[in-house]
Amino acid sequence: MLYFAFLFSLVTSFLFVSPNHLVAPFSRGVVLFSAFVFLATYFKERKNERNWLIDFLNDKPSKILVLILVSTSGFLFLIASSWHFYHLTKSFYDSFLFHDADYIGISDFLLSIANGEGFQTHYYSETGGSYLNHHFAPGSFILAPFVKLFPYRMGLAFGCLFFYQAATLLWLYFGYSQYRTEMESGNFQSSLPFYLFWIVILNQQYLYRIGSSYHFEILVTFFAFFFFLSYAKLSELRNQIKLSGLVWLFLSLLLYLSIKEDISIYLFLFILPLMYRSFQTRNNQAVKLQISIICIILLWGFFVFLLYPFLQGNNLGEHWKGELIKEYGNNYKQIQSNWKSAKILIEVFVSGGSAIFTQSFESIGICLIYLIHFFSNRPWHHELYSYYSYSLLPMVLFTGVLLIKNWKETRWSILFLCIMMVFYKNSLDSNFPLDPMKILESRLESKKTQQEEFLKDAIEISKITQNKSVIYSQYNLCIFLPDSIQTKPLTLATKDCSAKNKDCLMLIAPELTDEELWPKDRILLIQLEFERLGAKKTYTGQVSELWYLPKTIK
């Protein structure tokens, strides 16, 4: 079975480096193969017969062989995911798809952190306030070094890749360490759930969605690893817990909570059923630990939900709580049927290996968290779209690790049924993995010439503006400007510059806009208002224009 698990663990790595026309047939082939093995083992187990397949699966490999194959699959995942994300990032860049306000906005405040200016941003506040008023995410500062390492605002993209890979391999290590512990204690049944977890983590669709969204929420799964690793170790101790262990647990907990304001809610809901189980089993050590964790969560929640907004004073209206009740128009993604919501919950459990259903109290916690998504009126949050699975994924993975210890099933057919369902679910998503060439072909077709011409313009614009500090830029052009130049939204140009107490530059390329996101007429209207203030055109490129409004008031 070890060799089967090794080959299954390489499926997504293979898809990362495969041409798009091979992805769908290969994915279906894996599903059919796992279904065939499931049926073969099921009927043999039903008849209580042994054959070469059962004997092959029951082969007990050496510990060193397991370590070698697990390490090899992790290394191949690193190579394949690096190759895939490099081409994916390049395709987004070349297709002008890094215009997304979140990507530019996040890069903006990360550059502010790297420059020692805190969480300042102009993309989420017209007054140039703190990003923490939009999302309370102080832990996102860990991405700041990446924006210094990679130019042209590519730091966020490569930072997300790094933490996607790190989170995947760290959780793989978590599962492997649990497996080694169980094997050393004589629990030889732990090999089956470990094989399942090994396959699940290296073919993790939800983790890929978060990573390929280029959002700081990828840090959630990374920091959750350290918290749940510490929690698992301390909750199993029967003697006095050392102070160093508690310090590490609470430090990792605070880092985990600091990635986004609502994580405290999700973790609270997950811990509650576990504490109830600890009361039932009279596990006093675990009860004390869980009560301590809940107290910290409540204190953190008090600060984030009540104290911090109160301290904002007049800026309260900009606080992230306003985002939670924001209504979206019909042109945005809409909430679909309740049946789809139930289907998504099933997919969540399958993504952790369907056997996590047997972890009853952990499953209750996951369901409680999902209820928040179910009742949410925000379409992306409701359907775990894009990166929104960050709320559930750490708990799903932790439950998969716990299963290595608690698995009681000895039938190979059950294991292959779970594996088949994982790959079947993955095969249903045509965007797993995303195809870089398809992105290029779909976005460049109508504006390919203009985009290529702007890339030539950008070289000249960089030379002209190299001594300038701020440019008011069209939404999808910011990423092509050097990091030394602070970019601000085009909508702020006339408001900020009307006093004429500073030099102002504005960059536009009306032919390069997406009419649904930013109509060309809106850009031209802003340009006209800027010109009425006295601005002059200082550069005319093939598709772009650079306007300059000099300071007249000292």
Side-chain angles (χ1 to χ4, degrees):
M1 176 58 202
L2 175 65
Y3 298 103
F4 271 149
F6 174 68
L7 292 175
F8 279 130
S9 72
L10 299 179
V11 169
T12 296
S13 297
F14 178 79
L15 296 179
F16 279 159
V17 298
S18 297
N20 187 56
H21 67 273
L22 291 180
V23 170
F26 182 78
S27 298
R28 287 193 291 267
V30 172
V31 174
L32 291 173
F33 176 73
S34 54
F36 168 77
V37 179
F38 158 65
L39 291 173
T41 53
Y42 172 76
F43 285 112
K44 290 298 179 182
E45 288 170 346
R46 188 176 181 184
K47 296 178 181 179
N48 200 24
E49 295 180 356
R50 296 183 64 87
N51 66 352
W52 67 269
L53 178 59
I54 299 297
D55 292 335
F56 176 72
L57 294 175
N58 284 325
D59 185 36
K60 292 182 172 55
S62 64
K63 294 179 182 178
I64 189 65
L65 181 58
V66 175
L67 177 59
I68 289 172
L69 292 183
V70 170
S71 301
T72 301
S73 64
F75 177 74
L76 293 175
F77 169 81
L78 274 179
I79 300 299
S81 59
S82 297
W83 188 94
H84 171 71
F85 268 83
Y86 169 78
H87 288 279
L88 183 64
T89 302
K90 189 175 186 302
S91 70
F92 278 125
Y93 184 87
D94 292 342
S95 303
F96 285 58
L97 285 177
F98 274 132
H99 64 257
D100 181 89
D102 278 346
Y103 186 90
I104 296 299
I106 293 170
S107 294
D108 181 52
F109 83 75
L110 289 176
L111 281 167
S112 295
I113 294 173
N115 293 328
E117 300 170 358
F119 287 80
Q120 294 302 303
T121 178
H122 291 83
Y123 285 88
Y124 299 95
S125 169
E126 293 188 0
T127 59
S130 172
Y131 181 80
L132 300 183
N133 292 337
H134 178 72
H135 279 306
F136 193 79
S140 58
F141 78 91
I142 198 172
L143 285 166
F146 289 92
V147 300
K148 281 293 189 182
L149 289 173
F150 299 94
Y152 289 91
R153 294 167 176 80
M154 285 290 98
L156 175 58
F158 287 103
C160 288
L161 166 62
F162 174 82
F163 285 105
Y164 165 65
Q165 293 176 329
T168 301
L169 296 184
L170 286 172
W171 280 95
L172 176 59
Y173 162 77
F174 194 177
Y176 176 76
S177 63
Q178 185 71 39
Y179 161 73
R180 285 294 301 268
T181 300
E182 294 302 313
M183 292 294 285
E184 289 170 2
S185 64
N187 181 12
F188 299 108
Q189 292 180 350
S190 63
S191 58
L192 273 73
F194 169 67
Y195 293 151
L196 177 60
F197 184 80
W198 180 12
I199 294 166
V200 161
I201 193 62
L202 290 184
N203 296 279
Q204 181 49 248
Q205 185 185 72
Y206 284 106
L207 189 54
Y208 173 80
R209 286 182 185 176
I210 300 174
S212 60
S213 296
Y214 299 100
H215 251 251
F216 64 82
E217 281 84 356
I218 190 63
L219 296 173
V220 172
T221 315
F222 175 78
F223 283 123
F225 158 78
F226 295 101
F227 166 71
F228 281 114
L229 178 66
S230 301
Y231 171 76
K233 289 182 177 180
L234 295 181
S235 60
E236 292 175 359
L237 293 177
R238 297 299 176 184
N239 52 356
Q240 186 68 28
I241 298 175
K242 293 182 179 179
L243 179 61
S244 59
L246 286 175
V247 170
W248 178 247
L249 173 72
F250 295 142
L251 177 62
S252 61
L253 172 59
L254 290 175
L255 287 171
Y256 179 24
L257 295 175
S258 71
I259 303 303
K260 206 167 184 183
E261 66 277 346
D262 52 354
I263 290 175
S264 58
I265 300 173
Y266 305 131
L267 187 57
F268 177 78
L269 293 175
F270 184 71
I271 293 291
L272 276 182
L274 307 189
M275 189 168 67
Y276 176 75
R277 179 178 60 191
S278 299
F279 273 115
Q280 277 193 326
T281 58
R282 300 181 184 277
N283 187 344
N284 294 330
Q285 189 81 295
V287 169
K288 292 177 183 178
L289 194 63
Q290 289 154 355
I291 290 176
S292 300
I293 291 171
I294 285 179
C295 287
I296 292 177
I297 291 173
L298 292 175
L299 287 172
W300 180 269
F302 171 78
F303 174 76
V304 173
F305 288 86
L306 299 174
L307 185 58
Y308 180 76
F310 174 77
L311 294 175
Q312 294 306 295
N314 294 332
N315 292 329
L316 184 61
E318 298 174 354
H319 194 259
W320 59 265
K321 290 198 294 185
E323 290 292 313
L324 296 180
I325 58 175
K326 184 178 180 180
E327 296 292 336
Y328 289 91
N330 293 330
N331 57 323
Y332 285 89
K333 181 179 175 65
Q334 297 297 304
I335 294 173
Q336 299 184 24
S337 64
N338 290 337
W339 160 242
K340 182 169 184 180
S341 300
K343 179 174 172 285
I344 291 171
L345 179 59
I346 295 172
E347 290 178 352
V348 168
F349 279 105
V350 170
S351 70
S354 306
I356 67 172
F357 274 119
T358 62
Q359 296 289 119
S360 56
F361 287 93
E362 287 78 9
S363 297
I364 291 172
I366 292 171
C367 289
L368 288 175
I369 296 170
Y370 185 71
L371 281 176
I372 295 179
H373 292 273
F374 179 80
F375 289 112
S376 173
N377 63 352
R378 294 168 59 82
W380 295 278
H381 189 262
H382 181 86
E383 296 185 5
L384 301 180
Y385 187 71
S386 186
Y387 57 86
Y388 281 98
S389 58
Y390 72 86
S391 60
L392 286 161
L393 187 57
M395 291 72 171
V396 171
L397 296 180
F398 178 60
T399 305
V401 172
L402 291 181
L403 192 66
I404 297 172
K405 176 182 178 181
N406 301 323
W407 178 285
K408 304 302 180 185
E409 185 59 63
T410 59
R411 288 176 294 175
W412 291 105
S413 58
I414 299 298
L415 176 64
F416 279 100
L417 176 62
C418 295
I419 293 172
M420 180 191 72
M421 293 178 69
V422 168
F423 287 113
Y424 175 70
K425 179 190 71 68
N426 287 355
S427 70
L428 297 177
D429 188 349
S430 59
N431 290 320
F432 181 71
L434 290 164
D435 178 22
M437 292 305 299
K438 187 177 180 180
I439 292 170
L440 282 171
E441 292 168 0
S442 63
R443 300 298 297 194
L444 283 177
E445 185 175 350
S446 60
K447 297 184 181 294
K448 181 176 181 180
T449 302
Q450 294 98 318
Q451 289 173 349
E452 291 176 348
E453 289 173 345
F454 176 78
L455 294 178
K456 298 175 184 177
D457 291 351
I459 298 173
E460 294 301 319
I461 292 169
S462 296
K463 294 177 182 177
I464 297 171
T465 59
Q466 60 182 346
N467 295 323
K468 305 298 181 182
S469 58
V470 179
I471 291 182
Y472 296 87
S473 173
Q474 185 173 312
Y475 69 98
N476 57 346
L477 308 181
C478 305
I479 195 129
F480 300 100
L481 297 173
D483 296 338
S484 58
I485 301 173
Q486 183 185 17
T487 61
K488 291 185 179 182
L490 202 62
T491 51
L492 297 181
T494 53
K495 178 183 177 182
D496 287 0
C497 302
S498 59
K500 298 184 180 182
N501 57 357
K502 61 180 179 179
D503 292 336
C504 293
L505 280 170
M506 186 175 74
L507 175 64
I508 59 172
E511 298 300 326
L512 276 178
T513 189
D514 185 323
E515 286 290 338
E516 292 185 5
L517 291 174
W518 257 82
K520 176 181 175 181
D521 291 343
R522 186 182 179 192
I523 295 173
L524 293 175
L525 179 60
I526 294 174
Q527 176 262 313
L528 182 61
E529 292 175 349
F530 198 63
E531 187 177 2
R532 285 172 180 168
L533 292 175
K536 303 294 183 182
K537 190 186 299 184
T538 60
Y539 172 78
T540 302
Q542 298 182 68
V543 293
S544 61
E545 299 174 0
L546 189 65
W547 291 76
Y548 174 60
L549 179 64
K551 178 174 66 173
T552 58
I553 299 177
K554 294 183 180 181

